[in-house]
């Protein structure tokens, strides 16, 4: 009964947030809820058995559930375009999943590279696809606790890098099912995004950024020299 009550309260809070301009904290909280849902969907799809006693956070409800559905649909399209990019990520990066530090540093490095040239919804979806792919790898290699850290890292990255962009667009509710079409993201929506100031080069779905980073990580360890403050937040004990 307590779980149901908490879920109802969470859903009510989400509905209230979507009816007004969300705060930075609310946008980050929503980002993490969407990440949990995205990861859980990919774990189910991968047929991975996962015991998750700590994973009691309420699932997205109301309008946030609609956003989650759109993100998952866009993720399906993105992974269809590049089926090998978002699978076996740890192996592609040649990293050990037994080191939480290595996993979080690699994820943050990928995230930073994706948005080097600008921000679009397509790149946001790419970020979620990377997080989910890495989470699947962690669970498959008996490191399920690291999944929670990946979610926290994504939330911290959103706070530092994407919150201002999200607020200018009215929050998560403005993500569109027509965010991109094919590898070139050539829909009218994406052209409008670029015209509004994203000013990025290449495709806006982030595929090329991810592909180029795979090569960088395989040949250089310097990419892991990330801001220590962000790394500390990602690995902070959960209360």
């Amino acid at each position: 009964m307590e779980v149901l009550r908490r879920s109802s309260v969470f859903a009510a809070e989400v509905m209230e947030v979507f009816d007004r301009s969300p705060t930075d904290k609310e946008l980050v909280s929503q980002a993490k809820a969407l990440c949990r849902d995205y990861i859980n969907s990919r774990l189910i799809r991968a047929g991975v058995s996962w015991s998750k006693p700590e994973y009691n956070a309420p699932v997205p409800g109301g309008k946030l559930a609609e956003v989650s559905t759109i993100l998952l649909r866009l993720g399906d399209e993105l992974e269809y375009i590049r089926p090998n990019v978002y699978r076996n990520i740890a192996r592609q990066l040649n990293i050990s999943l037994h080191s939480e530090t290595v996993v979080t540093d690699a994820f943050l490095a990928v995230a930073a590279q994706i948005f080097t040239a600008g921000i679009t919804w397509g790149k946001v979806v790419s970020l979620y696809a990377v997080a989910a792919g890495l989470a699947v790898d962690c669970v498959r290699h008996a490191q399920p606790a690291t999944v929670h850290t990946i979610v926290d890292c994504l939330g911290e990255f959103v706070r530092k890098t994407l919150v201002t962009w999200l607020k200018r667009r009215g929050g998560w509710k403005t993500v569109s099912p027509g965010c991109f079409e094919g590898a070139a993201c050539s829909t009218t929506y994406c052209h409008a995004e670029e015209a509004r100031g994203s000013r990025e080069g290449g495709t806006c779905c982030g595929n090329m950024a991810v592909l180029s980073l795979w090569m960088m990580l395989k040949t250089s360890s310097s990419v892991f020299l990330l801001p220590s403050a962000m790394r500390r937040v990602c690995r902070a004990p959960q209360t």
Side-chain angles (χ1 to χ4, degrees):
M1 291 300 295
E2 176 62 18
V3 172
L4 291 175
R5 187 193 68 79
R6 287 170 55 197
S7 298
S8 299
V9 170
F10 178 78
E13 290 174 348
V14 168
M15 292 296 288
E16 179 186 354
V17 169
F18 273 91
D19 289 335
R20 56 177 171 77
S21 179
T23 66
D24 291 10
K25 184 177 180 180
E26 288 165 341
L27 287 171
V28 171
S29 177
Q30 291 165 0
K32 293 172 69 173
L34 291 168
C35 186
R36 294 185 194 102
D37 205 42
Y38 197 111
I39 287 174
N40 189 52
S41 172
R42 292 308 183 246
L43 288 171
I44 292 173
R45 188 178 69 181
V48 179
S49 177
W50 187 29
S51 177
K52 45 182 181 177
E54 302 174 17
Y55 219 73
N56 295 321
V59 297
K63 294 182 180 179
L64 192 62
E66 297 176 13
V67 172
S68 183
T69 298
I70 293 173
L71 282 180
L72 288 167
R73 189 183 309 162
L74 292 172
D76 287 340
E77 184 176 345
L78 189 61
E79 293 167 37
Y80 177 79
I81 296 169
R82 293 281 188 177
N84 296 322
V85 171
Y86 302 99
R87 298 174 188 169
N88 301 312
I89 291 178
R91 184 171 63 189
Q92 293 187 66
L93 298 179
N94 193 27
I95 61 173
S96 170
L97 293 171
H98 297 285
S99 171
E100 189 174 281
T101 298
V102 170
V103 173
T104 55
D105 285 357
F107 175 71
L108 289 173
V110 172
Q113 181 68 16
I114 289 173
F115 295 97
T116 296
I119 305 172
T120 65
W121 281 119
K123 289 187 175 183
V124 172
V125 177
S126 182
L127 177 67
Y128 276 77
V130 170
L134 197 53
V136 170
D137 288 346
C138 288
V139 175
R140 280 177 169 164
H141 289 80
Q143 302 296 323
T146 306
V147 174
H148 311 299
T149 306
I150 292 172
V151 173
D152 291 336
C153 280
L154 182 141
E156 180 63 9
F157 184 83
V158 168
R159 185 183 73 81
K160 286 183 173 291
T161 307
L162 303 182
V163 157
T164 300
W165 183 85
L166 285 166
K167 291 182 79 170
R168 285 203 308 265
R169 281 153 182 75
W172 290 99
K173 64 182 179 181
T174 58
V175 65
S176 165
C179 179
F180 52 81
E181 181 178 76
C185 300
S186 58
T187 62
T188 302
Y189 182 87
C190 276
H191 287 317
E193 284 291 296
E194 292 169 359
R196 289 169 71 179
S198 58
R199 297 190 304 277
E200 64 207 286
T203 65
C204 64
C205 64
N207 277 321
M208 295 312 297
V210 175
L211 286 169
S212 66
L213 188 64
W214 290 170
M215 298 308 298
M216 289 172 58
L217 289 172
K218 288 179 179 179
T219 58
S220 173
S221 60
S222 61
V223 73
F224 292 134
L225 300 179
L226 301 166
S228 58
M230 181 178 285
R231 292 163 64 184
R232 284 196 302 270
V233 170
C234 289
R235 294 192 290 273
Q238 297 303 296
T239 59

